[in-house]
Amino acid sequence: MIPISKPEIGKEEIAAVTRVLESGMLAQGEVVEEFEDKFAVYIGTDYAIATNSGTSALHTALAAQGIKEGDEVITTAFSFFATASCVLMQNATPVFVDIDPKTYNIDPALIEAKISDRTKAIIPVHLYGQPCEMREIMDIAKANNLAVIEDAAQAHGAEYKAKKVGAIGDIGVFSFYSTKNIITGEGGMITTNNEEIAERARLIRNHGQSRRYFHDCLGYNYRMTNIAAAIGLVQLKKIDTLSLRRMSNARYYGEQLKVKKPFVSPNVKHVFHQYTIRVKDRDKFQAHLERNGVGYGIYYPVPLPSQPLFDSNELFEVAELASKDVISIPVNPSLKRMDVEKVVKVVNGYEG
Ligand SMILES: Cc1ncc(COP(=O)(O)O)c(C=O)c1O
């Protein structure tokens, strides 16, 4: 089976983890600090704060931004659950916006209609590794005094007009879950140029402690381990090579596949966390892939507003349609030439 994702872990990661294990300093310490410093340099922000997941990074970002009960936060109808559940964690209300049918990202043209006097922030999600239309989103945010928290969990190294995502809004959030473009097993990162936000995020990540056993605010144990950071540091060295391999697989599919290719916006570097196509009878297509040993993923079969927790009656037509027919095929950097050739053969051989 050609896997939809596969961790790219080599001897260097194993040696780095071994060094941490032998040091006896397993929890958050100097290795995490080094990972934060190097990640901030890579993204191009003044600060980076590591956490133990993308979800905890999102929650910390919202808390550090001061999102609280009664506030509304605008986000996309089509993303992973954590994008919106982190708003609930702050007892605030997610307000959903439908997506652009070409990019699957939040449609900026629909944002303004959703702004109320309770709106405090927008969370654009760079889905599948493709940056959102950030110029328009930043303009709307500025005009309405809203914070922008970029959910870049799927878009490490992606660029919008030559600027890396995570460095465009007020705060960026990344995930290093094992399927992501770079990984630490579980892990997350917050990026920002705002010193106060960075300071608050550091407190929130660690039980609100300013000094040992002096707790200034509500916080959590969202700390990353030195073990995870050791993997992250090695992965960060490889990030551009890993992205290039994804992009080169995507280019090959673009040349060879007969199905409609994913749209890539002008002015972006799309890092192809996923290569997502659309098919009419998805169940039949899935069965065809399974029979022929090609892995796949469905991101996502249910739009966020239709999840029971949000239970919205509003119709998000574009997200609804996408949830019924999107399917992602393997594009990950572990694929060999013969794998991508096989994927092409199997996908092109489908008689829908
Ligand atoms: C868009 C998006 N946001 C947030 C997250 C949450 O990250 P994590 O799984 O590291 O908690 C993910 C992870 O799948 C994601 O894809």
Side-chain angles (χ1 to χ4, degrees):
M1 181 68 100
I2 299 173
I4 182 73
S5 73
K6 185 167 175 238
E8 279 283 304
I9 293 294
K11 288 200 178 75
E12 245 197 298
E13 282 88 346
I14 295 168
V17 167
T18 305
R19 276 197 300 279
V20 170
L21 295 177
E22 285 172 352
S23 77
M25 306 290 286
L26 309 191
Q28 183 182 293
E30 281 174 12
V31 190
V32 172
E33 268 177 45
E34 188 184 341
F35 184 35
E36 291 174 333
D37 290 348
K38 294 198 166 141
F39 197 81
V41 169
Y42 179 75
I43 296 299
T45 53
D46 292 341
Y47 309 98
I49 301 96
T51 62
N52 51 16
S53 72
T55 305
S56 59
L58 266 171
H59 183 203
T60 302
L62 266 82
Q65 183 58 46
I67 302 300
K68 56 179 190 322
E69 190 167 355
D71 291 347
E72 290 179 358
V73 176
I74 288 177
T75 193
T76 170
F78 199 54
S79 180
F80 180 61
F81 183 67
T83 302
S85 67
C86 68
V87 179
L88 297 184
M89 291 176 200
Q90 285 303 102
N91 296 311
T93 308
V95 173
F96 296 106
V97 169
D98 211 346
I99 54 170
D100 176 331
K102 296 200 299 295
T103 62
Y104 309 104
N105 284 332
I106 191 167
D107 186 343
L110 305 177
I111 293 178
E112 254 166 338
K114 294 294 179 87
I115 296 174
S116 79
D117 52 12
R118 303 204 303 179
T119 311
K120 295 286 156 44
I122 307 174
I123 309 179
V125 180
H126 308 300
L127 203 72
Y128 306 145
Q130 166 143 250
C132 292
E133 203 36 74
M134 288 309 289
R135 182 67 272 145
E136 288 175 48
I137 293 170
M138 295 307 292
D139 285 349
I140 295 167
K142 201 166 170 206
N144 294 278
N145 197 24
L146 307 177
V148 174
I149 299 169
E150 294 176 74
D151 182 339
Q154 304 186 0
H156 320 65
E159 292 173 14
Y160 177 81
K161 296 195 173 161
K163 197 162 182 186
K164 289 212 170 66
V165 300
I168 302 168
D170 300 272
I171 310 181
V173 169
F174 294 84
S175 162
F176 305 119
Y177 178 65
S178 296
T179 59
K180 295 296 193 282
N181 287 28
I182 63 166
I183 64 174
T184 62
E186 296 273 9
M189 192 74 83
I190 296 157
T191 50
T192 185
N193 287 321
N194 183 317
E195 190 181 354
E196 269 176 51
I197 297 263
E199 208 41 57
R200 275 203 293 279
R202 278 194 203 101
L203 280 180
I204 292 159
R205 162 183 72 174
N206 189 23
H207 296 294
Q209 282 189 107
S210 50
R211 285 181 290 144
R212 209 168 171 77
Y213 306 128
F214 288 81
H215 302 268
D216 297 358
C217 64
L218 179 61
Y220 309 86
N221 176 358
Y222 283 166
R223 297 181 305 258
M224 178 179 271
T225 64
N226 273 349
I227 305 167
I231 303 172
L233 273 167
V234 179
Q235 291 269 304
L236 191 56
K237 283 201 273 182
K238 302 179 182 172
I239 186 166
D240 289 331
T241 314
L242 293 173
S243 293
L244 278 176
R245 271 154 58 189
R246 287 178 181 275
M247 290 157 72
S248 133
N249 292 339
R251 201 174 319 112
Y252 182 73
Y253 288 160
E255 287 156 11
Q256 302 289 329
L257 287 179
K258 288 194 224 139
V259 295
K260 195 160 178 248
K261 323 297 179 320
F263 173 82
V264 178
S265 306
N267 301 320
V268 308
K269 176 177 170 188
H270 184 333
V271 290
F272 284 97
H273 174 58
Q274 299 296 350
Y275 191 95
T276 303
I277 56 174
R278 302 181 80 148
V279 286
K280 286 241 161 49
D281 186 347
R282 189 169 63 193
D283 287 348
K284 198 172 154 202
F285 185 67
Q286 278 174 239
H288 172 76
L289 295 182
E290 278 169 29
R291 258 196 321 276
N292 289 285
V294 173
Y296 60 87
I298 292 165
Y299 314 106
Y300 294 92
V302 182
L304 286 174
S306 304
Q307 295 286 355
L309 199 56
F310 306 113
D311 201 21
S312 163
N313 290 323
E314 202 181 331
L315 184 65
F316 295 87
E317 209 180 340
V318 184
E320 199 62 56
L321 283 174
S323 70
K324 290 195 170 59
D325 60 16
V326 289
I327 186 160
S328 303
I329 55 174
V331 74
N332 67 74
S334 80
L335 302 180
K336 304 276 176 288
R337 180 69 182 204
M338 57 189 263
D339 296 325
V340 286
E341 280 172 4
K342 179 174 167 184
V343 172
V344 165
K345 202 164 151 226
V346 170
V347 172
N348 283 348
Y350 174 67
E351 282 158 19

